[in-house]
Amino acid sequence: MAMKEVSSNKCCGGFQKVFEHDSVELKCKMKFGIYLPPKAVTEKCPVLYWLSGLTCTEQNFITKAAFHQAAAEHGLIVVAPDTSPRGCNIQGEDESWDFGTGAGFYVDATEELWKTNYRMYSYIKDELPILINANFPVDSGRMSISGHSMGGHGALILALKNPGKYKSVSAFAPICNPMQCPWGKKAFSGYLGSNTTNWEAYDATHIAKSYQGSPLDILIDQGKDDQFLTAGQLLPDNFIAACTERKIPVVFRLQQGYDHSYYFITTFINDHIRHHAKYLNA
């Protein structure tokens, strides 16, 4: 698969790059950010995938999260893909901020208008790692995943649905139970249709209830003053209850005074990098 380098900036001794490629799954051009730590010059490094939230592109995390120093110190390659297909000319894809462009929700759509392009689940699970492993000094056996909000939902479902694929998982303010919240109901009905049984495959709380895979150590940070927590969009308590029932270890930290923004992510990102490095560098 041909890739084109869009940008390259030296950062913390390594390089923050952005590439563009033609996606087979999504049938459009896609961009992703990749941070290559200094260590990547001489050896293969573990990789952390970061999934961003609603309205984001590959740019938000790489420009706002201030993760580079910690990634450089721990020798982690960090990949930050876009959040949806772009420019597919689907009727209605640009009408709202929480559906369509910038809101792929990390599902494989089954509904007529969306099913050809909106296959973010398979893109993140299969296509992107194959591309990354083939073109960068990645140790493909050492991979972890993290994300924010809609991307936190993506990280949790990918880890829970693919036991053993990721060494660790973490999330900031994830949408934990999308079947029960307005964002999730809108996205799932649009992408997956009205039969809610089909939604269960992409709901972290539902998946956790029957999880039987290898042990997962989940770290979640949630701002206590997050307006979307108050609005019932995130529902972390439902997820924690499901994990407790299945004895899946979750460290859930409710952070006093923090909201949903990247200021919150920047504050705690080093903890998450350390969480992943513990497993990736073990």
Side-chain angles (χ1 to χ4, degrees):
M1 282 181 260
M3 288 193 318
K4 186 177 97 180
E5 190 174 295
V6 177
S7 63
S8 178
N9 300 91
K10 188 156 190 180
C11 185
C12 300
F15 283 90
Q16 176 62 59
K17 296 174 181 280
V18 173
F19 287 87
E20 185 179 73
H21 74 106
D22 291 308
S23 167
V24 176
E25 284 287 358
L26 309 178
K27 314 278 191 293
C28 66
K29 283 197 185 310
M30 288 295 283
K31 287 180 182 162
F32 63 86
I34 183 166
Y35 178 66
L36 300 165
K39 206 173 175 181
V41 175
T42 54
E43 59 188 275
K44 288 191 168 187
C45 296
V47 59
L48 173 64
Y49 285 85
W50 171 271
L51 306 183
S52 287
L54 290 163
T55 75
C56 290
T57 67
E58 82 290 339
Q59 287 293 317
N60 296 69
F61 185 69
I62 66 176
T63 55
K64 293 180 177 179
F67 70 91
H68 297 92
Q69 189 70 54
E73 285 170 13
H74 292 286
L76 303 189
I77 290 173
V78 181
V79 177
D82 203 345
T83 56
S84 79
R86 300 274 164 181
C88 297
N89 299 315
I90 300 168
Q91 184 187 343
E93 72 177 337
D94 294 321
E95 279 175 12
S96 55
W97 64 276
D98 54 359
F99 185 78
T101 303
F105 258 86
Y106 306 103
V107 303
D108 285 349
T110 53
E111 288 297 281
E112 203 48 59
L113 278 180
W114 309 96
K115 66 181 184 184
T116 303
N117 304 100
Y118 277 68
R119 296 182 51 79
M120 286 298 293
Y121 178 77
S122 288
Y123 176 72
I124 300 297
K125 175 179 163 278
D126 299 318
E127 183 180 2
L128 188 59
I130 289 168
L131 184 73
I132 298 296
N133 295 346
N135 290 280
F136 300 98
V138 168
D139 178 346
S140 60
R142 293 188 290 158
M143 177 164 67
S144 287
I145 194 160
S146 185
H148 171 229
S149 195
M150 176 184 75
H153 141 76
L156 291 175
I157 63 166
L158 276 144
L160 289 164
K161 283 166 74 68
N162 301 281
K165 186 177 179 75
Y166 302 98
K167 297 286 185 196
S168 52
V169 59
S170 76
F172 288 83
I175 302 171
C176 289
N177 195 183
M179 292 178 70
Q180 301 295 334
C181 77
W183 279 340
K185 287 175 182 175
K186 178 176 179 176
F188 285 9
S189 56
Y191 296 134
L192 305 170
S194 56
N195 184 351
T196 55
T197 308
N198 298 330
W199 302 6
E200 293 173 353
Y202 297 107
D203 185 301
T205 298
H206 185 83
I207 300 163
K209 286 175 182 172
S210 58
Y211 182 77
Q212 291 181 312
S214 49
L216 263 183
D217 180 359
I218 303 171
L219 171 62
I220 296 175
D221 271 309
Q222 171 65 60
K224 195 171 182 199
D225 290 3
D226 185 330
Q227 68 273 35
F228 299 116
L229 177 66
T230 313
Q233 294 281 21
L234 307 177
L235 306 174
D237 292 351
N238 297 0
F239 180 69
I240 293 160
C243 288
T244 303
E245 203 176 299
R246 297 298 301 175
K247 297 185 169 55
I248 303 168
V250 181
V251 174
F252 178 78
R253 310 192 305 185
L254 195 60
Q255 304 289 7
Q256 190 73 38
Y258 286 91
D259 58 19
H260 200 71
S261 71
Y262 264 85
Y263 296 111
F264 161 57
I265 294 169
T266 301
T267 306
F268 300 104
I269 192 65
N270 287 0
D271 289 353
H272 286 245
I273 297 283
R274 277 194 295 271
H275 170 75
H276 294 294
K278 181 171 76 179
Y279 293 96
L280 290 170
N281 292 323

